[in-house]
């Protein structure tokens, strides 16, 4: 973990390399060519940054789209293992019903646990603040 201005970085990097390798091998069948192209685009332009304060995803064509979500906005985390469990896909369901997809996340179980811990911390802090507002 790296520290930058009181924000601890848990994971920073791109998608799993195994996803690219697997899809390149499938690309020889021609039927899986769209999946191969998708894996190449993800490998080039998709970047994740999971810190103690937020989840940031940079992606899209030429890496022009950037999405940041703070843990207080996340209601639920759903994940699916891929590549025999070596990497996985995650969906962060936000309080307003929107979804943020994280495809081919390496060490996704570790990342999922980290995100769930941060959500629990934020909820316990907000519960303490709401109790402090009432007189005993």
């Amino acid at each position: 973990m790296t520290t930058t201005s009181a924000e601890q970085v848990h994971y920073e990097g791109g998608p799993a390399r195994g996803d690219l390798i697997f899809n390149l091998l499938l690309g020889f069948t021609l039927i899986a060519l769209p999946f191969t192209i998708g894996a190449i685009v993800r490998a080039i332009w998709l970047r994740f940054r999971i810190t103690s304060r937020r989840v940031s995803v940079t992606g899209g064509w030429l890496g022009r789209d950037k999405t940041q979500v703070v843990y207080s906005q996340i209601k639920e985390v759903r994940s699916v293992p891929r590549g025999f469990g070596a990497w996985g896909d995650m969906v962060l369901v936000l309080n307003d019903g929107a979804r943020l997809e994280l495809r081919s996340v390496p060490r996704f179980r570790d990342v999922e646990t980290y995100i769930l811990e941060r959500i629990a911390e934020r909820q316990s802090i907000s519960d303490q603040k709401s109790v402090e507002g009432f007189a005993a």
Side-chain angles (χ1 to χ4, degrees):
M1 284 191 223
T2 320
T3 304
T4 54
S5 69
E7 188 170 15
Q8 293 181 339
V9 177
H10 180 71
Y11 176 75
E12 185 169 20
R17 290 186 184 123
D19 177 50
L20 177 63
I21 294 167
F22 182 72
N23 282 297
L24 284 173
L25 292 174
L26 284 178
F28 291 116
T29 64
L30 294 180
I31 294 172
L33 203 53
F35 299 114
T36 303
I37 294 169
I40 292 169
V41 168
R42 279 193 302 272
I44 295 171
W45 292 306
L46 181 63
R47 296 292 173 259
F48 306 113
R49 186 163 197 240
I50 291 115
T51 68
S52 58
R53 293 185 180 182
R54 67 185 63 104
V55 176
S56 301
V57 179
T58 304
W61 191 250
L62 299 176
R64 293 181 182 161
D65 299 331
K66 186 166 186 170
T67 305
Q68 292 187 6
V69 176
V70 294
Y71 293 110
S72 61
Q73 294 176 318
I74 301 172
K75 179 171 70 171
E76 182 182 355
V77 179
R78 299 177 189 162
S79 65
V80 176
R82 302 277 186 223
F84 304 108
W87 66 87
D89 296 343
M90 295 176 59
V91 175
L92 305 179
V93 181
L94 306 181
N95 293 331
D96 63 357
R99 291 173 168 77
L100 176 62
E101 291 186 14
L102 290 83
R103 298 229 175 225
S104 303
V105 178
R107 301 183 351 234
F108 79 100
R109 287 186 178 100
D110 181 37
V111 170
E112 179 184 23
T113 303
Y114 185 80
I115 291 172
L116 290 172
E117 288 172 355
R118 301 292 86 69
I119 292 170
E121 284 177 9
R122 300 288 182 205
Q123 287 177 346
S124 66
I125 290 171
S126 66
D127 290 345
Q128 288 175 356
K129 287 181 179 178
S130 64
V131 170
E132 289 174 3
F134 291 102

